[in-house]
Amino acid sequence: MSEERFGEFVLVRRHGDGHVAELALDRPKAMNAVSTEMARSIAAACTALGGDRDVRAVVLTSTHERAFCVGADLKERNSFTDADLMRQRPVARGAYTGVLELPVPTVASVHGFALGGGFELALSCDLIVADATAVVGLPEVSVGVLPGGGGTQLLPRRIGAARAAELIFTARRVEAPEARELGLVDVLVEEGRDREEALALASRIAANSPVGLRAAKRALRLGHGLDLRAGLEVEDAAWRSVAFSGDRAEGVAAFNEKRKPQWPGE
């Protein structure tokens, strides 16, 4: 396993053959509250991972024992002028969109508190694995703002408009069992096993064609919300982008020869 640090608060680990990358939030003294500096580092790490053709899946984790991420750094924001807040906005957005726009499948590994922007980082991933200690929520209206890291758009796409409205308007926190029941998280595991299970899931994903994975994610994201006819056109465009790839040729050959594929990744 190799490690690379982005700024003071973000650590990227590459596991095994490098096809699974772990983006670890590493600001334990602040329960991973996202400061301006940390937001820049998250965005920079995502840019590097998105451009690395060896990476097939990314797992978003936390080094803090009791929290995934408690959201925006409100202590920092308490010192901001209105002009400071406006200047910070594109930096903050860059962190959330950085995770959201990663071209490979992403899995969030959540334990403890995942609140506000912390939960929005998890929502920006394709799948969320949570352990029994997880507490999630979007409490922004309780401090006079709204979920501005994608929450008002990502949550209703995940659980429906009415349920999302109830959670956002009440600002309530949701513990792990209800979170799984509502679909706020996808996989619920025993306490302390979220990272292990998320990495295992990412490894299963990364065993597949990198060309196919990127195209499938693109079709899923671009097609969501379109009418069926338009969505099928998005799917067809994605299919055409992989139909004549080296990965497709290798996948078919490996199937017929009853062996494990050696993906060229192109």
Side-chain angles (χ1 to χ4, degrees):
M1 180 174 66
S2 65
E3 295 186 348
E4 180 181 5
R5 187 164 287 280
F6 289 80
E8 185 178 355
F9 304 129
V10 173
L11 181 64
V12 170
R13 302 183 179 109
R14 295 169 190 269
H15 293 267
D17 52 14
H19 296 323
V20 173
E22 179 184 1
L23 196 166
L25 306 177
D26 187 30
R27 195 187 180 202
K29 291 181 179 179
M31 298 181 83
N32 288 330
V34 181
S35 63
T36 304
E37 179 186 348
M38 188 173 178
R40 286 197 182 97
S41 297
I42 293 170
C46 289
T47 297
L49 291 172
D52 188 339
R53 300 298 295 189
D54 285 335
V55 174
R56 300 180 188 175
V58 173
V59 180
L60 183 62
T61 67
S62 161
T63 63
H64 195 284
E65 292 183 357
R66 295 187 295 109
F68 174 72
C69 174
V70 294
D73 186 341
L74 296 185
K75 290 184 178 179
E76 178 189 59
R77 289 194 180 181
N78 191 47
S79 67
F80 280 2
T81 65
D82 289 351
D84 291 334
L85 188 60
M86 287 302 295
R87 278 192 293 270
Q88 194 220 28
R89 176 60 176 164
V91 178
R93 286 194 70 187
Y96 302 109
T97 57
V99 175
L100 184 64
E101 293 178 0
L102 280 167
V104 297
T106 50
V107 182
S109 163
V110 174
H111 59 266
F113 297 111
L115 302 172
F119 189 39
E120 288 173 306
L121 286 172
L123 289 171
S124 297
C125 294
D126 298 301
L127 296 165
I128 301 175
V129 175
D131 84 351
T133 70
V135 178
V136 305
L138 297 175
E140 284 88 345
V141 298
S142 70
V143 293
V145 289
L146 57 77
T152 66
Q153 304 306 303
L154 295 171
L155 191 59
R157 283 168 166 78
R158 175 175 270 272
I159 64 170
R163 281 182 170 174
E166 185 265 325
L167 292 174
I168 291 170
F169 294 161
T170 63
R172 73 181 179 94
R173 299 179 179 189
V174 182
E175 295 186 357
E178 185 185 4
R180 177 64 186 90
E181 182 181 342
L182 293 176
L184 297 170
V185 305
D186 302 300
V187 180
L188 185 59
V189 298
E190 296 176 358
E191 180 177 346
R193 290 182 56 85
D194 55 293
R195 178 174 176 268
E196 177 185 347
E197 293 292 338
L199 287 169
L201 175 57
S203 294
R204 292 196 297 274
I205 291 170
N208 296 306
S209 158
V211 170
L213 288 171
R214 287 175 179 245
K217 176 161 180 172
R218 190 165 63 248
L220 283 164
R221 286 288 176 90
L222 293 179
H224 189 91
L226 300 179
D227 65 61
L228 179 59
R229 186 180 297 275
L232 289 172
E233 290 303 316
V234 168
E235 180 182 84
D236 186 65
W239 179 87
R240 291 173 186 275
S241 74
V242 302
F244 308 104
S245 68
D247 273 14
R248 184 206 63 83
E250 168 62 9
V252 172
F255 176 84
N256 283 288
E257 295 165 16
K258 296 181 172 57
R259 59 175 174 80
K260 184 178 178 180
Q262 301 297 316
W263 304 115
E266 57 185 21

